Amino acid sequence: MRIGVYPGTFDPITNGHLDIIKRAAKLFDKIYVVVPNNVNKKTLFSVEERMELIRETTKDIPNIIVDKTSLLTVQYAKQVGSDTIIRGLRMVSDFEYELQMAALNKSLDNEIETIFIMSSHQYSFLSSSSVKEMVGFNADVSEFVPNIVSTALMKKYQK
Ligand code: ADP
């Protein structure tokens, strides 16, 4: 069975992430979408809120499992029986960071590969932080995130 791990902050999940998940779901029998259980990182949504939004927006894709972890990604992958980390690549600006992470993970565990799925062109400029910034200015983000995510974002900013 081919098992993939797609790690990310997903603060919150966007249509760009969902595009990667849907495309990866065709290549793997099972994919763990995993959020770091990292209390140090400042995020708008809590770990549980982010997981719930991922769960809701991927509920029609049967081979997706949403999880959180305190482990390093390579350790988590080993634990769930996966040898593949999936990452999305948008622009050249993603490349340096992603190359560094992939090299680091490879040095931590040589048996685990990182594979990259290129962003679809309509999402290549889209990030969770740009969506949050837009909502902060009361802009409509419904074309960038699923409805349930834009509702959750609006609630956060109304507080
Ligand atoms: P991280 O903090 O781990 O970078 P993110 O939630 O920002 O977490 O991203 C998780 C993964 O999804 C990364 O590989 C990132 O490059 C990718 N990604 C984010 N937005 C998009 C997008 N619009 N299209 C394709 N991949 C994306």
Side-chain angles (χ1 to χ4, degrees), residues 25-144:
K26 294 183 192 152
L27 305 173
F28 290 85
D29 298 303
K30 199 193 273 186
I31 295 175
Y32 289 84
V33 180
V34 62
V35 177
N37 207 352
N38 181 352
V39 280
N40 298 326
K41 192 163 176 181
K42 184 120 189 57
T43 55
L44 180 64
F45 292 96
S46 70
V47 173
E48 298 304 327
E49 288 170 330
R50 283 179 277 146
M51 287 174 69
E52 189 51 33
L53 290 174
I54 303 169
R55 260 192 220 107
E56 275 297 312
T57 51
T58 60
K59 64 177 181 224
D60 294 335
I61 314 170
N63 52 339
I64 300 297
I65 294 163
V66 183
D67 200 4
K68 63 179 173 185
T69 185
S70 306
L71 297 174
L72 287 169
T73 305
V74 288
Q75 294 171 332
Y76 178 82
K78 269 263 150 75
Q79 192 186 63
V80 298
S82 167
D83 58 8
T84 314
I85 297 169
I86 302 159
R87 296 285 288 176
L89 265 188
R90 285 162 293 188
M91 295 143 293
V92 185
S93 50
D94 277 345
F95 183 81
E96 202 171 325
Y97 174 72
E98 293 293 344
L99 178 67
Q100 194 185 352
M101 285 304 296
L104 182 67
N105 283 329
K106 191 82 184 153
S107 72
L108 290 170
D109 191 330
N110 194 34
E111 287 172 9
I112 296 185
E113 291 293 343
T114 303
I115 65 156
F116 296 95
I117 297 182
M118 294 294 178
S119 175
S120 297
H121 68 93
Q122 69 268 39
Y123 303 128
S124 61
F125 59 93
L126 180 58
S127 65
S128 300
S129 43
S130 63
V131 167
K132 284 180 280 193
E133 205 170 319
M134 284 189 277
V135 175
F137 285 101
N138 272 322
D140 176 17
V141 293
S142 53
E143 68 179 281
F144 305 122

